[in-house]
Amino acid sequence: MDRRTLLGAAAAAASVPPALAADEDRWAKIAAQYDITRKTVQLEHGNWGMMARPVLAAYRGQVERVNRDTSFYARREMPGEIEAIRARVAAAMGVSVQEIAFTRNATEAMRALILGYNRLRPGDAVLHADLDYDSMQACMESLKARRGVEVVKIALPCPPTHQGLIDAYDAAFRANPRLRMVLLTQVSHRTGLVLPVAEIATMARARGIDALVDAAHGVGQIDYRLPDLGADFIGINLHKWIGAPLGVGAIVIREGRLADIDVDAAEPSANPGDIRSRVHTGTVDYAAQLSVPAALDFQESIGLAAKQARLRALRDRWVRPARELANVEILTPDDPRCYGAITAFRLKGQVSHDANVVLAKRLLEGHGIFTVHRDGLASGSCVRVTPALATTMDEVDRFVAALRNVAG
């Protein structure tokens, strides 16, 4: 992503009037499209995104159709419908239909990319970081035995800054001249940190290093399109921030780079020039894939820039007062380039797994606030807070009051 694209993205974000994110009547109507329980304040929407009512209705209809028409439909009409949906998703993501294929989730896509990346030779090196997703770190570590490469792991700076993150990867690139591939996580599932992927991928490319980007939490949470990441290999989810039914993700490989990812071993007779040969899923939830257009329709009716502004407003609503609490440590920076909806916190000095399990339990049992603890940071454990469009400002305010109570 060059300077012009960066400036254009910034201008687009700035064009969303601040009042739009704070228009409670508008967002209350959107929140009402989600059948969420209000018995607890659910501030953990990271596993998957709730389907809005129109999407749920579409999914129910597709389940009935697939169940009723079974193999006759699957072998005659469905392939063309799925292909049209693949083209719709490609257009929404800013890529060609030849560059994208459905998976069951981003993990499946990233596994295919990491394990199938065939440009590695014994003695080469690969790089990943402490905030990367656990399964993806495990795949990276497996390359030592699979490909005979050195696996380098770095701890990202804490507290992080936009430039500090760029510098951390630059230093790692310089210190490891045999690097050929790097894993980058666009939005951390642990802290919500948004990595400057485009800048890092550009640095990597200049050194002959390919960036494989885990955009599981980026798509639908951040206002961008996939080419903006500047990477040739990307895994995404559609059942998180796009709100499609569970079990829909995608693998993205830029045109001209398909040969650098192995054909899946379970696809020996597949066309090697077709991206769909890189992932073998077997039988999947076809009704979920067939419902993706309804999810895209709903998201497009809101607008991605407006959605990002609202998610940030929900996040800012609790983070700003929380930063004033002497005993609370916010782990995600306030630089708008570095966060979206997700932010992590902990009580100062309470860095252990057990301490943050207890903290999340206190919030739930004592105040009806559902959050989740997260481990795997070099700096220790934390609690993650993930509001979504179903979240109201009143619920966020309840969380702030609870946080004041548990922080002492």
Side-chain angles (χ1 to χ4, degrees):
M1 182 161 59
D2 58 21
R3 179 174 174 79
R4 179 177 297 177
T5 305
L6 282 166
L7 291 174
S15 67
V16 178
L20 181 60
D23 183 350
E24 292 308 309
D25 288 341
R26 179 178 191 264
W27 294 109
K29 292 175 183 177
I30 293 172
Q33 290 297 309
Y34 296 89
D35 290 319
I36 186 171
T37 178
R38 301 294 175 185
K39 294 180 180 179
T40 59
V41 175
Q42 295 204 46
L43 294 179
E44 165 45 22
H45 293 273
N47 277 5
W48 63 82
M50 179 182 293
M51 286 180 277
R53 285 176 179 169
V55 185
L56 182 58
Y59 180 49
R60 285 170 173 160
Q62 294 294 353
V63 168
E64 291 178 0
R65 180 188 189 187
V66 171
N67 186 63
R68 180 185 65 242
D69 296 343
T70 63
S71 187
F72 179 82
Y73 165 62
R75 294 181 183 276
R76 298 169 67 88
E77 297 176 34
M78 190 177 72
E81 294 180 14
I82 295 290
E83 184 64 6
I85 294 168
R86 185 166 74 112
R88 168 91 186 267
V89 172
M93 299 297 136
V95 300
S96 72
V97 69
Q98 292 79 19
E99 294 176 310
I100 193 167
F102 285 125
T103 62
R104 288 172 291 193
N105 46 62
T107 298
E108 186 170 63
M110 293 305 301
R111 180 182 182 278
L113 291 172
I114 294 169
L115 302 186
Y117 182 77
N118 58 34
R119 300 188 71 210
L120 298 173
R121 300 293 178 267
D124 288 343
V126 298
L127 175 72
H128 66 101
D130 60 334
L131 291 188
D132 293 326
Y133 191 57
D134 305 76
S135 298
M136 283 28 288
Q137 291 193 51
C139 286
M140 293 292 286
E141 292 291 337
S142 78
L143 295 177
K144 181 176 182 179
R146 290 172 179 269
R147 303 282 188 181
V149 300
E150 178 188 1
V151 181
V152 179
K153 181 178 178 179
I154 62 172
L156 297 183
C158 186
T161 65
H162 181 82
Q163 189 59 49
L165 292 165
I166 295 172
D167 292 344
Y169 280 94
D170 183 48
F173 293 165
R174 292 177 184 275
N176 298 278
R178 295 189 65 83
L179 280 173
R180 295 294 175 264
M181 185 260 278
V182 59
L183 170 65
L184 301 176
T185 299
Q186 186 193 8
V187 180
S188 168
H189 76 292
R190 302 182 199 277
T191 67
L193 178 68
V194 177
L195 204 66
V197 167
E199 292 91 331
I200 297 167
T202 298
M203 288 193 310
R205 191 185 300 275
R207 292 178 173 272
I209 304 168
D210 274 321
L212 277 57
V213 178
D214 181 349
H217 276 285
V219 169
Q221 182 183 161
I222 308 296
D223 183 16
Y224 77 105
R225 302 223 294 176
L226 293 181
D228 297 338
L229 296 177
D232 296 342
F233 308 98
I234 307 170
I236 69 172
N237 273 317
L238 296 172
H239 60 225
K240 285 190 185 288
W241 298 93
I242 295 295
L246 271 170
V248 190
I251 185 173
V252 179
I253 302 174
R254 188 176 66 82
E255 189 174 0
R257 300 304 309 272
L258 191 58
D260 297 325
I261 305 297
D262 288 333
V263 171
D264 191 286
E267 294 278 347
S269 60
N271 174 10
D274 190 328
I275 187 175
R276 289 170 290 186
S277 68
R278 269 51 181 184
V279 181
H280 182 87
T281 58
T283 303
V284 300
D285 184 352
Y286 296 117
Q289 293 183 356
L290 292 163
S291 303
V292 167
L296 292 174
D297 288 344
F298 185 78
Q299 296 298 320
E300 289 168 4
S301 73
I302 298 169
L304 188 50
K307 179 183 177 182
Q308 176 179 274
R310 175 62 175 183
L311 291 173
R312 284 181 171 175
L314 289 165
R315 179 264 186 195
D316 291 344
R317 179 85 166 207
W318 75 266
V319 169
R320 287 171 180 166
R323 285 197 184 278
E324 298 175 1
L325 300 176
N327 202 32
V328 172
E329 180 184 6
I330 302 295
L331 302 183
T332 315
D334 284 338
D335 184 335
R337 296 172 295 181
C338 296
Y339 76 88
I342 306 170
T343 289
F345 77 98
R346 60 189 171 211
L347 301 186
K348 289 186 178 178
Q350 309 255 341
V351 300
S352 72
H353 165 90
D354 289 346
N356 285 290
V357 169
V358 169
L359 177 55
K361 186 176 180 180
R362 287 179 64 192
L363 287 168
L364 178 59
E365 295 183 355
H367 303 275
I369 311 291
F370 180 52
T371 58
V372 64
H373 70 280
R374 279 285 173 244
D375 299 322
L377 288 76
S379 62
S381 181
C382 64
V383 173
R384 181 181 76 182
V385 179
T386 312
L389 292 183
T391 308
T392 67
M393 287 293 186
D394 287 344
E395 290 176 319
V396 175
D397 292 342
R398 280 181 58 188
F399 169 57
V400 172
L403 191 55
R404 287 195 178 100
N405 182 280
V406 300

